[in-house]
Amino acid sequence: LPVEPQSLSFTDGIWNGTPAVGKSGTQVSLVATHSTKPAVTGESGVFDVTSFGSLSLTITATGTEGDTVNATVTASVAPASDLTVTLASSAASVASPPATVTILAGQTSAAFTLTLPEDALLEGTQTALISAAAPGYDQGQTMATVNDNGAGDVLWVPGQNR
């Protein structure tokens, strides 16, 4: 199961920080490893991770670099209070979402714009994994496909192109 942050401090039996698990699971435990003595470990008791529901992402269309496309994040269960959803991209130079979007209390979705940066390179179609995360909800992911807008003629000059 994905856990953030990857590192927390544990002093005199007390956690400093709050681990967040990005997906539901059963029979889960946390393992603590000493930062300078990896042979020293400790493990929590077994517990279940439950969620309020899951998040999903929808991108309305394949886009072309230099453009934007509409996207939506949807919660399977409407939050009781405003829910801040953190968005991320595996390749922000290909497809870049805003850092966060808010699903309003009682609603199940929020729209946002996905920016497809222009890079002036001829690299063909590219993809980026877009993810959505919020406390208490299973993470959602979808793939953004971005077409290259650099189609055109390439000038080949013998002895000068490498």
Side-chain angles (χ1 to χ4, degrees):
L1 298 178
V3 177
E4 292 292 331
Q6 294 291 317
S7 177
L8 296 170
S9 63
F10 187 72
T11 307
D12 297 326
I14 299 172
W15 290 104
N16 180 12
T18 304
V21 180
K23 193 172 184 179
S24 300
T26 58
Q27 301 295 303
V28 176
S29 66
L30 294 175
V31 176
T33 303
H34 193 282
S35 61
T36 60
K37 299 175 187 171
V40 178
T41 64
E43 186 170 358
S44 72
V46 175
F47 57 94
D48 293 338
V49 177
T50 57
S51 70
F52 298 122
S54 60
L55 298 173
S56 61
L57 288 161
T58 305
I59 299 173
T60 58
T62 297
T64 301
E65 63 182 24
D67 292 338
T68 60
V69 293
N70 295 323
T72 304
V73 60
T74 302
S76 62
V77 176
S81 59
D82 290 357
L83 179 68
T84 300
V85 178
T86 301
L87 302 171
S89 172
S90 64
S93 64
V94 175
S96 181
T100 62
V101 65
T102 301
I103 298 177
L104 300 177
Q107 302 295 309
T108 57
S109 64
F112 63 94
T113 300
L114 190 62
T115 301
L116 312 176
E118 165 62 65
D119 61 10
L121 299 174
L122 295 172
E123 70 267 303
T125 300
Q126 295 181 295
T127 58
L129 184 65
I130 309 301
S131 61
Y137 285 78
D138 290 345
Q139 294 179 353
Q141 298 180 328
T142 194
M143 194 66 69
T145 301
V146 181
N147 295 317
D148 193 352
N149 69 353
D153 296 330
V154 176
L155 178 61
W156 174 259
V157 180
Q160 292 184 14
N161 297 81
R162 296 181 189 240

